[in-house]
Amino acid sequence: MVSLRDTGVGFEPTLTERIFDPFFTTKSQGLGVGLTISRSIIEARHGRLWAISSPDQGTILNFTLPVVRAD
């Protein structure tokens, strides 16, 4: 598992799943495609991407990918 944390204001917990919707953004100049693309790449490789928000403490993005053995 990899975790990335920022130190911004976070997002409202009610938006947890919406932040992965295409073109959804909380930024005035945002496009709303970065998390959508990231999640699709990770899921295509049988992984999982999710977010946890803690208002006033930022956002934590976590992802997992399966281990692939090269024999």
Side-chain angles (χ1 to χ4, degrees), residues 24-63:
F24 177 81
T25 183
T26 59
K27 298 177 183 175
S28 61
Q29 299 293 322
L31 295 176
V33 295
L35 288 176
T36 302
I37 292 169
S38 298
R39 184 179 250 185
S40 67
I41 291 168
I42 290 169
E43 287 180 348
R45 283 145 184 86
H46 307 288
R48 182 173 172 239
L49 171 65
W50 69 98
I52 301 168
S53 179
S54 180
D56 301 324
Q57 295 182 11
T59 299
I60 302 170
L61 289 169
N62 300 299
F63 72 91

Side-chain angles (χ1 to χ4, degrees), residues 3 5 7 14 19-20 23-24 28 30 43 46-47 55 59 62-64 70-71:
S3 295
R5 182 179 185 159
T7 56
T14 58
I19 66 170
F20 295 102
F23 307 110
F24 177 81
S28 61
E43 287 180 348
H46 307 288
T59 299
N62 300 299
F63 72 91
T64 58
D71 293 326

